[in-house]
Amino acid sequence: MNDMLLLKGKLEMKGKMNKMGPPSLPKGSSVDAEKIKRLSGELRSAYSFWQNNRLGIKPLVKTVYTRIVAKSNRNTILLLDHSSKNINSQVVGAEFLEEGKKKHCITYSVSLEAIEESIDLLDACTDIVSSYFSSLMSAETLDAVNKGKKSLHGKMSKTKFASVIRDAFYTEYFTYENKREGKINAAQLVSIYNTGLSANELIARIGNGFSAIDTLDDVTWLLTPKQYEILKRNASFLIAMAVPDLSLYCPKTSKESMLHPFSRRYIDPPKDEPVIGVIDTLFDDSVYFSSWVDYHQVLEGEFTDKEDYIHGTAVTSIIVDGPSLNPALDDGCGRFRVRHFGIATYRPLSSVYIMKSIERIVEENPDIKVWNLSLGSSNPISMNSISPEASILDRLQYEHDCLFVVSGTNAPDNQNGTFPPIGAPADSINSIVVNSVDFSSLPASYSRRGPALSFFTKPDLSAFGGTAEDPVTVYSPRGIEKKSGTSFACPWIARKAAYLIYVMGLSRESAKALLIDSAAGWNTDIKNITLKGYGAVPVKIDKILQTPNDEIRFILEGNVLDWETYNMRLPIPFRKEGFPYRVRFTLAYFPRCSRNQGVDYTDTELDVHFGRLKKDGIKSINNNEQGEPYFIDLSEELARKLFRKWDNVKHVTEGLNDRAKIKGFLSDNHNWGFSIHSIERGIEKPGRGMRFALIVTLRDMDGYNRIEQFIKNCHIDNVWTVIRLNQQVMVETFVEAQTEIEFES
């Protein structure tokens, strides 16, 4: 078996060359004067509505586009406030509409002056197109206008005219309406479009006896059914999303049996083992492993019901002593200490309370790098808006260099083979979300499905979480029990993540990428990706850290400091005819996320290219040519489908098949290279300085072991320092690092 390698070397940075030309239309397309006139009328209706609105907030106007649009094809001049440097800073919501085909609906916060000016621009363009271009502006005619071959007769500047025409082409219609149908019967967690006002100020303006039970932040309110009806009646245009307010651990999915009630076991006292944070129901400190648990009861009061302690204690038992309770699941990671925070009982609690508690816990415990969260809502997530719970987890991970491992939530009983959508916070994009499989790696019957926001792969991966026939053994206040559920799959992944970070010394980015890469392997189970994620993670940690002798696996880590981060000097071994490899790679990073961007949730996109060098760049193994000077832009929908644009995990594999051919040389330079392009949604650059990890695996088609040659090549070129991630050496290093040295006085 070969050890995995960590490559450390200098990464080059390069800014983006501005190749933007004048605004244009796609080849063969056109816009007629009638459509431009209709858009003007729709904005007149919006202007009239907001001019008479008594709430005194900046108007909210929705642009429904003709398709899923790239950032560059959104409005550029229509609805633009003069106070804004970029209209993307005015976005307060984005969703997908299914109107014949999927299309973007983006909500903008604008001024009345911006609406009025947009009306004037559309009216002027209607007049120009009608009077001088036979009521039709084609792509070819607009190109002639841009080149000065067609005159606008002094009516408008070329750039302004072309911008309005392009905006009109990509816009299906404008609207200010935000219909919310139906009544609710339980408290709701309501997301409000960001108006720039505090929750208290906006609530006061709504009036008519309106109030909120509680607020998670200025744009997330907890409302009773009566309060929600008042809001819907007086200001429905403010509502971005509403979901029932219930957070509870997932329901039971198999008949539970106890073995040896109150059975006593023994465990050696802890030393300096790594610490995993657990946020769950209460913990019973009478269990045999309590010396391994630093327990903090966050809920105030005294609790005498044993049910309040069972779930949290059982989850923590797996993290501390799972392998001895389940010898068949021994992962080789040893035992872990736990800092357990009891924030819930077995009865439902408010999401507002739970998320405020989690936020405070993470901020007060910065030394914890891995958190296990096996709590989740029974209610399905929205496909058009991230849950408030998930958005808080994503923000905490972006700000605090930690990793959440979250259970994928369980389906209720009697689903008859159907799999409902996952529940919050399993839609967290930065977290590792875990579903459950059986011993044959098939999805558990109680699984719930992704994706999140109609796009992001959730769950990320799977682990054994027990079935009715083969449950997981846990320890609770009642003794040894048999359980099943994603709650009990989640801790096995938390253990592995903690081992990779604490013991092997990897970054959280590398740990996440490595777990996903090991789950996916060479052939992702696409059929079950919505239930299993990229696949089931191997039970043994050495199956993750080592590869067969015919494989080379290495990690590349770095920070994004400019538009392009790259290195073109990867000395991959070759033979006379070329490179005899099949290749796969996995990229992971933790971007800042914005709830106000709706389905366009991640603020930074990292577009990765990896492969052989050619004369003018990299021949990426997935033929990704985005960002290249000669590249003809794909539609946004295709870019998301083919290259996972805006996803913070990218897994690319050539797969294993008998038709694979040796990869020939594409230039005199026989090195390989990688390049990562950074794209930001707005004018801010939250991705600058963001860390990434790229896991690369090469399988030799001839079955040869070329790892020593690869290491030698790296040393000869003097570009890379190669660190062998030998498990035994890293464990010894970790133990030595934990040893306290006493100096003689």
Side-chain angles (χ1 to χ4, degrees):
M1 300 294 283
N2 285 335
D3 291 326
M4 190 166 55
L5 308 175
L6 176 63
L7 271 55
K8 290 187 174 291
K10 182 180 180 182
L11 303 183
E12 304 295 333
M13 307 288 173
K14 184 172 70 174
K16 186 176 183 180
M17 296 179 62
N18 191 353
K19 65 170 185 176
M20 295 292 293
S24 60
L25 299 180
K27 188 176 180 179
S29 62
S30 61
V31 182
D32 60 40
E34 188 62 32
K35 178 181 181 180
I36 303 171
K37 182 178 180 181
R38 172 175 59 78
L39 294 176
S40 173
E42 290 163 357
L43 286 185
R44 277 189 167 83
S45 297
Y47 183 88
S48 175
F49 173 81
W50 285 106
Q51 189 180 38
N52 297 314
N53 186 270
R54 64 175 182 77
L55 218 58
I57 62 171
K58 287 184 71 174
L60 298 168
V61 179
K62 296 177 183 292
T63 300
V64 177
Y65 291 92
T66 58
R67 64 199 72 186
I68 297 175
V69 288
K71 181 183 71 171
S72 57
N73 291 328
R74 294 180 180 183
N75 291 353
T76 56
I77 191 168
L78 297 179
L79 302 181
L80 176 64
D81 275 340
H82 288 299
S83 59
S84 300
K85 295 181 180 179
N86 186 301
I87 196 168
N88 284 307
S89 64
Q90 298 173 217
V91 174
V92 294
E95 58 189 306
F96 290 138
L97 298 184
E98 300 284 352
E99 297 181 343
K101 67 175 184 178
K102 185 178 286 188
K103 57 189 68 173
H104 257 122
C105 173
I106 298 178
T107 304
Y108 296 93
S109 174
V110 303
S111 63
L112 279 171
E113 292 74 21
I115 300 175
E116 189 173 28
E117 185 172 320
S118 297
I119 293 169
D120 292 341
L121 288 171
L122 288 167
D123 288 346
C125 283
T126 301
D127 181 59
I128 293 170
V129 174
S130 298
S131 301
Y132 303 108
F133 299 102
S134 303
S135 296
L136 186 71
M137 178 56 57
S138 67
E140 294 71 26
T141 304
L142 183 60
D143 184 55
V145 170
N146 285 325
K147 293 177 179 178
K149 296 179 181 180
K150 295 278 188 179
S151 174
L152 297 178
H153 303 277
K155 299 289 186 179
M156 190 183 293
S157 72
K158 291 187 296 184
T159 300
K160 186 174 288 188
F161 176 79
S163 296
V164 175
I165 293 297
R166 184 174 66 178
D167 283 3
F169 170 78
Y170 284 106
T171 299
E172 183 81 19
Y173 60 89
F174 294 110
T175 183
Y176 59 89
E177 295 181 337
N178 189 30
K179 294 180 180 179
R180 297 287 167 179
E181 305 293 344
K183 291 188 176 183
I184 61 170
N185 300 312
Q188 299 281 302
L189 205 56
V190 180
S191 297
I192 302 298
Y193 289 123
N194 189 357
T195 64
L197 300 177
S198 69
N200 289 338
E201 186 173 0
L202 191 54
I203 288 171
R205 291 192 185 190
I206 294 171
N208 292 331
F210 178 74
S211 61
I213 302 173
D214 200 355
T215 58
L216 186 58
D217 50 44
D218 284 335
V219 295
T220 312
W221 303 347
L222 179 59
L223 304 180
T224 65
K226 182 178 180 181
Q227 291 166 339
Y228 181 77
E229 287 302 314
I230 294 174
L231 177 63
K232 192 171 68 171
R233 184 169 59 250
N234 294 342
S236 64
F237 47 80
L238 288 176
I239 302 172
M241 182 187 73
V243 294
D245 175 58
L246 281 180
S247 268
L248 66 162
Y249 71 84
C250 299
K252 303 167 186 176
T253 56
S254 69
K255 185 178 180 181
E256 301 167 3
S257 61
M258 289 186 291
L259 300 179
H260 312 298
F262 305 104
S263 57
R264 305 301 300 176
R265 297 172 66 90
Y266 174 77
I267 187 172
D268 291 329
K271 296 178 182 177
D272 295 307
E273 290 81 2
V275 179
I276 296 175
V278 170
I279 300 174
D280 212 289
T281 63
L282 310 183
F283 176 76
D284 189 323
D285 58 11
S286 69
V287 295
Y288 73 94
F289 54 90
S290 62
S291 63
W292 286 70
V293 181
D294 177 17
Y295 177 49
H296 300 261
Q297 183 170 308
V298 179
L299 273 175
E300 296 182 357
E302 293 186 8
F303 299 88
T304 58
D305 193 332
K306 274 194 174 180
E307 283 287 333
D308 293 333
Y309 295 85
I310 291 173
H311 187 267
T313 307
V315 166
T316 288
S317 75
I318 295 176
I319 292 178
V320 173
D321 203 26
S324 71
L325 292 166
N326 302 269
L329 298 175
D330 188 351
D331 50 21
C333 295
R335 293 188 174 107
F336 293 88
R337 291 179 290 157
V338 168
R339 198 173 302 163
H340 186 121
F341 296 87
I343 68 168
T345 65
Y346 78 96
R347 293 170 292 275
L349 285 172
S350 167
S351 289
V352 173
Y353 161 76
I354 285 181
M355 298 318 297
K356 282 183 176 180
S357 298
I358 290 176
E359 191 171 18
R360 184 175 67 254
I361 289 167
V362 172
E363 290 173 350
E364 293 176 352
N365 293 271
D367 59 313
I368 301 290
K369 297 302 179 185
V370 177
W371 294 92
N372 186 98
L373 184 62
S374 290
L375 300 176
S377 174
S378 59
N379 299 297
I381 58 171
S382 165
M383 288 294 106
N384 270 320
S385 182
I386 205 76
S387 68
E389 298 93 335
S391 70
I392 287 181
L393 295 187
D394 289 332
R395 178 177 60 78
L396 290 172
Q397 289 170 96
Y398 173 76
E399 294 177 350
H400 294 282
D401 188 27
C402 63
L403 172 64
F404 270 87
V405 183
V406 179
S407 63
T409 63
N410 299 340
D413 294 331
N414 303 318
Q415 289 298 301
N416 297 319
T418 62
F419 301 101
I422 55 177
D427 53 334
S428 167
I429 303 306
N430 282 331
S431 301
I432 294 178
V433 177
V434 184
N435 258 18
S436 181
V437 291
D438 62 20
F439 277 126
S440 299
S441 292
L442 295 175
S445 61
Y446 49 81
S447 297
R448 296 169 72 175
R449 60 178 171 82
L453 293 179
S454 306
F455 171 69
F456 294 96
T457 301
K458 294 292 166 182
D460 293 281
L461 42 79
S462 299
F464 182 76
T467 64
E469 298 76 20
D470 295 299
V472 176
T473 301
V474 299
Y475 200 93
S476 82
R478 300 185 298 205
I480 293 178
E481 296 196 53
K482 300 292 186 176
K483 297 274 191 177
S484 64
T486 57
S487 290
F488 309 110
C490 190
W492 296 106
I493 300 301
R495 287 170 53 83
K496 290 180 173 68
Y499 188 92
L500 295 173
I501 292 171
Y502 291 119
V503 179
M504 299 303 296
L506 298 179
S507 68
R508 61 173 182 166
E509 289 79 10
S510 289
K512 181 176 180 179
L514 189 55
L515 288 168
I516 289 174
D517 186 81
S518 67
W522 288 102
N523 294 292
T524 305
D525 184 2
I526 298 297
K527 179 183 176 181
N528 288 313
I529 195 168
T530 60
L531 298 173
K532 291 171 55 179
Y534 287 98
V537 178
V539 170
K540 297 290 187 181
I541 193 68
D542 57 9
K543 297 293 185 182
I544 298 171
L545 291 170
Q546 294 181 320
T547 64
N549 287 336
D550 60 352
E551 290 186 0
I552 302 171
R553 180 182 294 164
F554 56 88
I555 303 174
L556 297 163
E557 295 181 332
N559 295 82
V560 175
L561 298 177
D562 214 324
W563 172 70
E564 183 177 19
T565 303
Y566 66 96
N567 186 292
M568 304 299 184
R569 297 178 66 183
L570 284 168
I572 307 298
F574 57 86
R575 67 186 196 194
K576 184 178 179 180
E577 299 85 359
F579 300 96
Y581 302 106
R582 296 178 177 92
V583 186
R584 77 173 191 250
F585 66 76
T586 303
L587 176 78
Y589 58 100
F590 289 71
R592 189 184 75 176
C593 302
S594 297
R595 276 183 66 208
N596 66 345
Q597 292 284 336
V599 292
D600 298 336
Y601 179 58
T602 49
D603 287 352
T604 304
E605 151 73 358
L606 296 188
D607 174 34
V608 60
H609 305 241
F610 176 83
R612 294 164 289 164
L613 295 190
K614 53 186 181 177
K615 292 181 180 179
D616 55 354
I618 296 173
K619 173 67 173 176
S620 190
I621 66 166
N622 62 337
N623 296 315
N624 183 6
E625 295 180 342
Q626 296 180 97
E628 301 293 346
Y630 51 80
F631 180 66
I632 300 174
D633 287 341
L634 290 172
S635 70
E636 181 74 0
E637 189 168 12
L638 270 179
R640 294 183 184 208
K641 181 179 180 180
L642 296 178
F643 303 119
R644 303 302 300 167
K645 185 178 179 183
W646 298 108
D647 196 345
N648 61 334
V649 171
K650 293 177 173 66
H651 176 74
V652 174
T653 180
E654 293 182 315
L656 298 181
N657 59 71
D658 296 331
R659 294 171 295 174
K661 296 180 179 179
I662 192 168
K663 296 173 171 60
F665 304 117
L666 301 176
S667 69
D668 294 335
N669 187 340
H670 294 173
N671 283 333
W672 288 41
F674 77 95
S675 170
I676 292 177
H677 298 165
S678 171
I679 305 169
E680 307 283 4
R681 285 203 191 273
I683 57 175
E684 293 183 357
K685 299 188 184 299
R688 290 296 185 262
M690 183 174 64
R691 199 165 56 214
F692 66 85
L694 181 66
I695 311 289
V696 177
T697 306
L698 309 171
R699 172 172 282 196
D700 191 277
M701 295 163 57
D702 303 322
Y704 291 135
N705 190 345
R706 302 182 191 269
I707 193 169
E708 296 301 333
Q709 184 61 54
F710 176 64
I711 294 172
K712 182 179 178 181
N713 290 352
C714 290
H715 290 158
I716 290 174
D717 279 9
N718 201 29
V719 174
W720 300 101
T721 298
V722 181
I723 301 172
R724 287 180 182 266
L725 294 174
N726 181 275
Q727 193 174 350
Q728 182 177 347
V729 172
M730 299 302 289
V731 169
E732 291 173 355
T733 302
F734 172 78
V735 171
E736 289 178 8
Q738 306 306 310
T739 303
E740 293 185 8
I741 301 176
E742 294 184 7
F743 295 95
E744 295 183 2
S745 57

